[in-house]
Amino acid sequence: MTQRASRSMAFIGASVALSGAATAVLFFFQPWRSCPYEDTSVGCAMLPNDAAVMVTALGIALIGAAVFAVGRLQGRRAG
């Protein structure tokens, strides 16, 4: 793998990992949620679809981190 390809792979992996992690954090805190029994949105119960999105985002973040790591390791071998 060339240096350029490994750098692109690392960049794409980092971008995917960061977007997946940001989505998971956003769905964990749920700033749009409101409920009558709690003052803050964090105390409200998570809906099943929200939990599915959060788990999927965490999986995507892990895949992105793995792609980033492979890109970085391949870059060290190529350089």
Side-chain angles (χ1 to χ4, degrees):
M1 183 178 289
T2 65
Q3 185 74 18
R4 181 177 173 157
S6 63
R7 210 175 305 148
S8 297
M9 189 173 179
F11 177 76
I12 290 170
S15 300
V16 169
L18 286 175
S19 64
T23 302
V25 168
L26 180 70
F27 271 81
F28 179 76
F29 288 115
Q30 303 178 26
W32 61 88
R33 178 100 42 233
S34 64
C35 52
Y37 57 87
E38 186 65 40
D39 292 340
T40 63
S41 62
V42 177
C44 297
M46 183 178 279
L47 298 175
N49 289 339
D50 292 342
V53 169
M54 190 174 86
V55 169
T56 303
L58 286 172
I60 289 171
L62 289 175
I63 290 169
V67 169
F68 172 75
V70 168
R72 292 292 292 169
L73 290 174
Q74 292 294 330
R76 289 187 183 179
R77 288 184 185 173

